[in-house]
Amino acid sequence: MLRRRPTSLVALLIALLTTSSLLQPAQAVAVEDSTPQLVSLQRESGDVVAHGDEVAIAWSFDAPVESVMVTLRDGLGGVQYATAWVGSGGAASGVARIVVDTATWPGGTSVFGGLYYTWTAADGGWRSVQLDATGAVIWKSEGVGAVSPAGDRLGVAPFEVRSDVDLSVPPMLTSATRVSADTLRDGDVAEVAWQADRPLQSVRFRFRDLFGGRHFAEWSAWQSETGSPSTEGVARVPVLTSAWPGGATAFDGVEYTWAGGWISLGADGDVENRSPNGLADATLPGGTDLLSFTVESEVDLSAVPKLLSAQRISPDVVVDGDEVVVRWAFDGPVASVNITVRDAIGRLHVLSSGWSSTPSATGESRAVVEDADWAAGPVQLHELNYTWGWGTGSEWAVLNADGDVVSISDPDADLPSARDAMNVAPFEVRSGVDLTKPASLTSVSRVSADVLADGETLEIAWTADRPLDRIIFRLRDGLGVQHTAWWSMWSGGENVRRTEGVVRVEIDTATWSGGETVFDGVEYGWLGGSMSLDADGDVVFREPSGIADAALPEGGLDDLAFTVDSDIDLAAVPSVISVTRESADVLAGGGELRIAWETDAPVTWMSFQFEDGFGRQQYVWWVGDPSTSGVMTATIDAATWAPGDSELVQVRYSTPTDHTLALARDGSQWSKWPAGIDDAKPYVPGFAALDFELDSDVVFEAVPVPAPTFTDATCDAPAHLKLEDFPHGWWSWGETFGDQLDGEPWGIQVGKPYVVTAIFDDGWGTTGQAQWTFRLTDPGSCEPELELTSAPVPIVTGDPSVGSTLAADAGAWEPAPVELSYQWFRDGLPVPAAEDDRYELTAADAGTTVTVEVTGTKTGYRTTARMSEPVEVQQPSTRDIPAVVHDALDELGPRRLVVRTEPGVIGRMISQAIAASKGAPRSDAEVDVFAASAQYSAEHFAPGVEVVYVASGVGLRAAPTVDALDGPLLLVTPSSIPPVVEAELARLQPKRIVVLDGARGIGRPVVQALEGYLH
């Protein structure tokens, strides 16, 4: 040990807590009992202490504890610990003590720095809590309940330590001289003699070789003849050319320790680190530049060692406790050789040589066979990997079972195949243990309540037929977010596998949505294997691959479902209110892109994805504290951002609860996570206004990119993605493909977009498409589909005239029940939102043919659709006005017409009245018939009317009013809606609009525009 720092908190605890009961970690099956809460912490000793005095701090808790450690921070920033060890059973009160030693405790003010205490829980597990100087909890062990803040119970006032010893000045090296030769060879020893002005505990001189590797010449009081700190000594290091390259070796710094501190200096004398922090600087003695020396070596450590032979020398048949040994040789020294073999069920085992600071060209790698870990049957070589070099020159290579290079740290290195050197013959493991059978859960039950609130704990008890080292229950809340409740033998340092236990997780309604939470699967591991099952008990994955299926306990685990009681709406999401590019339309390289954004609720980050002029994907970010507005700024690097038009592709943002949303270029929602959150409101303007041009002279070259081939899963073949290599780039994809560039994707989420992106080397791109999106679909049930025994053609009934309602008679579909859906068509095209068994004819249907399609679906049967015979929709009827009436109206020239008639002939009578009003004006003032119709409507009808009637007002000298109508009459032109009428339509918010003149009197564009005012 060459560096002794002030005793750490953990080290002091280990030294202090020597009994096995106190050091016992928390058990897997934890019985959460009451957590001791601090009642008071008071300093009893004086305000001023000196060398030999005792600092005493009285403590009390509301339940027994077994150890207490109070951290005190001294005048130099170092730490001192007052401790109390009670022992088994504990005590609720006591005194923590420490004696002041001014050789290690500097003078000045010491203050309270924190509190650490431990106790043994009812299950025998060790529990601990650590508080900071304010009384806040900064750490607690697993299974510990709530710990209340203790700030108001802390009474450890600062105190003064009086000392004549100035510990702020560190010891200084007064000399450092290399006493070994200027040139050293293999086996020589580099020696540095040193002197200091105060006794040191350890000294280490650092040297850096030609490859950047570090070597250390060391002296330690514990390895010296006296075993005591000293003011002088000689630091030594042997030179081994198998790990120390030839050439110049330079002095690289020094570090040394003493009672109460340590310091590290660089080769230039600058302080690199010190403890305590309040220490003054130290300096190097003169002449350290003369410590450098030369290593003479004929060994080329830059050369890649080549495997000469690898041969198994252990027996062909091994059993439990036998050793498997492979002897190897290289043409140069190597630091480590690990040989991996694969057993009969696919489990991998490593034969290791260990790692050596004295590399060798020959050696052995070995492993011991254990029945519980090695499957019976043949074992074959999987791969061999080895390392060589030193320091920054350390390298590695991996060879497969045939001796071919799989990977190497330096891809430009010349390493031929070692096929002829590989002679690791297969061997057999004989064992009576059947490792093909996986561990299985024998019982699982929820032992916590059916309804849990914030801060309460979900508990799931489990048992297994074999000891497990870990188990994870997956749970999915109402939003689709997955939560886990788990136990691991390593989490509390227990290191004991168990066949039963209780997993726990605390409900946090800030991230766990209210409503039902359901079981979503389980994953567990045992010695040598692991298994993951989904909620139905199907195997998600297994390791090793040769083990059999496992199953859920009989009856499944649906009973694990429970309800979370929460008033927090985690489904709500922010929506984008505005996005504006503040920077110029054209940017030069090095220019700043600025995008101001605003949302209606806080977000924690915003991402803007652009595609530059050569198809390269570019991402710029804003990240910060939750905010509803901000400005994203990014400097455009012309070396990686291709010139030309950069188009905004996608905008992503995240909520403070880590829910994410993505909007497409047109402002529509692209994706969201989790699936259960609300949809974001579309950003209607879209994001095209964020596009800009990069004006740059940097030349990018284009390469063609082959389009990916997506193939949906069928009942005969899995889903597939085919990616062909292209020069000067590679592929990136998501969301849930595995790690194969060309293979079956795993974990397919039906309907979720998969994005495949071409990524390019610097200076390269494409002028074609560089990103593709595809939604992989599931083939559904692959059971043979039956034909419905009855699927009749629907019959349309009703009056086929505008304003009437048609009905679809679907007939009897068999075998019942069959789910039926409807879609109405106009001239062969689907009518939007017309998906009921009834359809009201509008002016847009006049003169067209209408049909209805009925689709029947039933599980296990082929989906079948039937289309009705077409029905012609009649134009509104008209007839000529009698001549005598026409002449009378023409003579009178009325400004206002009142039509009183039956509702069934309103359309015809209105048309007659309007036609009759045409002719020469009979007054000096010409009337704006459109404004007059709107004015009359505003005076007589309130918003939210059931129906508005619309007719053509062209040629009218007066606006007709129709008292018999059950709604207002507004006038339009055949090709447009006057603004005053638009305003009145917007105010009325009608549920229906009836065009009285028919499609022939008013143009189709006007009819389509009228549909936009329906509510």
Side-chain angles (χ1 to χ4, degrees), residues 40 68 175 191 203 216 316 383 553 579 596 655 723 861 896 931 943:
S40 67
V68 174
S175 70
E191 297 180 314
V203 180
F216 304 97
D316 293 341
E383 68 180 23
V579 178
T655 70
L723 298 175
Y861 289 78
R896 182 168 180 262

Side-chain angles (χ1 to χ4, degrees), residues 125-440:
W126 181 45
R127 302 287 192 270
S128 60
V129 169
Q130 186 175 359
L131 309 179
D132 66 13
T134 68
V137 177
I138 58 176
W139 185 84
K140 61 180 182 178
S141 59
E142 183 180 356
V144 173
V147 179
S148 60
D152 59 346
R153 283 156 277 166
L154 299 177
V156 184
F159 58 95
E160 191 78 13
V161 175
R162 290 188 177 169
S163 172
D164 296 330
V165 182
D166 186 1
L167 296 181
S168 67
V169 178
M172 303 285 183
L173 290 176
T174 55
S175 70
T177 307
R178 176 170 48 78
V179 294
S180 51
D182 294 342
T183 301
L184 299 177
R185 298 171 180 82
D186 186 60
D188 292 343
V189 177
E191 297 180 314
V192 179
W194 59 269
Q195 292 181 325
D197 62 359
R198 280 165 42 196
L200 302 181
Q201 293 175 334
S202 67
V203 180
R204 182 161 72 167
F205 291 90
R206 301 190 300 265
F207 293 92
R208 191 174 295 276
D209 64 32
L210 194 61
F211 285 176
R214 274 188 168 181
H215 308 268
F216 304 97
E218 300 174 335
W219 174 90
S220 167
W222 302 279
Q223 296 174 351
S224 66
E225 293 181 359
T226 63
S228 302
S230 177
T231 57
E232 61 182 5
V234 178
R236 297 179 172 89
V237 58
V239 173
L240 301 174
T241 55
S242 59
W244 199 318
T249 294
F251 170 68
D252 195 45
V254 65
E255 53 199 69
Y256 51 92
T257 68
W258 65 96
W262 61 270
I263 199 160
S264 175
L265 305 175
D268 55 4
D270 292 340
V271 175
E272 297 174 333
N273 216 330
R274 73 188 89 197
S275 179
N277 294 331
L279 285 175
D281 288 350
T283 59
L284 289 176
T288 53
D289 55 323
L290 300 178
L291 298 180
S292 301
F293 57 94
T294 299
V295 172
E296 186 176 287
S297 173
E298 296 179 356
V299 180
D300 183 6
L301 293 182
S302 64
V304 179
K306 298 176 180 60
L307 180 66
L308 300 178
S309 67
Q311 182 176 12
R312 178 173 54 79
I313 60 173
S314 49
D316 293 341
V317 178
V318 293
V319 296
D320 183 58
D322 287 347
E323 195 170 47
V324 180
V325 183
V326 172
R327 182 172 294 160
W328 43 262
F330 291 82
D331 66 357
V334 295
S336 66
V337 178
N338 289 324
I339 298 172
T340 306
V341 295
R342 185 185 296 274
D343 68 20
I345 61 173
R347 184 171 296 158
L348 298 178
H349 308 271
V350 177
L351 284 62
S352 175
S353 68
W355 185 90
S356 174
S357 60
T358 57
S360 174
T362 60
E364 295 176 352
S365 297
R366 56 187 66 230
V368 176
V369 174
E370 296 181 33
D371 278 350
D373 192 32
W374 292 65
V379 180
Q380 296 181 330
L381 175 66
H382 176 64
E383 68 180 23
L384 181 151
N385 67 77
Y386 60 99
T387 64
W388 68 95
W390 188 258
T392 57
S394 180
E395 306 284 354
W396 52 264
V398 179
L399 310 179
N400 64 18
D402 295 326
D404 296 329
V405 179
V406 175
S407 60
I408 188 168
S409 54
D410 180 6
D412 296 327
D414 180 19
L415 183 60
S417 172
R419 184 179 297 265
D420 295 337
M422 286 290 193
N423 192 23
V424 182
F427 59 97
E428 182 185 355
V429 172
R430 290 184 181 172
S431 169
V433 180
D434 182 8
L435 294 183
T436 63
K437 181 182 178 181
S440 293

Side-chain angles (χ1 to χ4, degrees), residues 624-840:
D625 294 331
S627 178
T628 56
S629 63
V631 178
M632 187 290 306
T633 61
T635 301
I636 303 301
D637 182 1
T640 57
W641 198 305
D645 293 333
S646 289
E647 294 187 351
L648 191 286
V649 176
Q650 192 177 89
V651 174
R652 284 182 177 268
Y653 55 94
S654 177
T655 70
T657 53
D658 292 330
H659 297 164
T660 57
L661 299 107
L663 304 182
R665 177 177 173 81
D666 63 2
S668 63
Q669 180 172 287
W670 171 259
S671 64
K672 63 180 181 179
W673 184 91
I677 61 175
D678 296 340
D679 289 339
K681 296 176 183 176
Y683 183 60
V684 176
F687 300 107
L690 300 183
D691 297 351
F692 67 96
E693 180 184 351
L694 177 60
D695 183 10
S696 168
D697 295 331
V698 178
V699 176
F700 282 73
E701 297 189 55
V703 296
V705 178
T709 302
F710 293 89
T711 305
D712 282 323
T714 67
C715 291
D716 300 320
H720 191 78
L721 167 66
K722 176 71 175 180
L723 298 175
E724 297 181 11
D725 292 340
F726 61 93
H728 307 292
W730 67 96
W731 292 106
S732 172
W733 68 93
E735 296 275 342
T736 53
F737 286 110
D739 56 0
Q740 301 176 62
L741 289 178
D742 176 17
E744 178 187 347
W746 58 271
I748 293 176
Q749 299 185 34
V750 176
K752 189 169 186 177
Y754 284 68
V755 181
V756 178
T757 305
I759 307 297
F760 302 95
D761 297 334
D762 286 348
W764 295 87
T766 185
T767 55
Q769 189 172 353
Q771 189 172 76
W772 291 261
T773 300
F774 194 83
R775 293 178 187 267
L776 291 169
T777 58
D778 191 293
S781 173
C782 289
E783 297 296 325
E785 292 184 324
L786 303 175
E787 295 289 344
L788 294 170
T789 58
S790 175
V793 173
I795 299 173
V796 177
T797 62
D799 179 14
S801 59
V802 174
S804 299
T805 298
L806 301 180
D809 182 358
W813 290 62
E814 299 291 345
V818 179
E819 184 177 350
L820 301 179
S821 60
Y822 299 83
Q823 176 63 62
W824 292 86
F825 290 80
R826 179 191 302 132
D827 284 343
L829 299 175
V831 179
E835 299 174 351
D836 296 325
D837 61 352
R838 294 180 178 273
Y839 176 60
E840 184 175 348

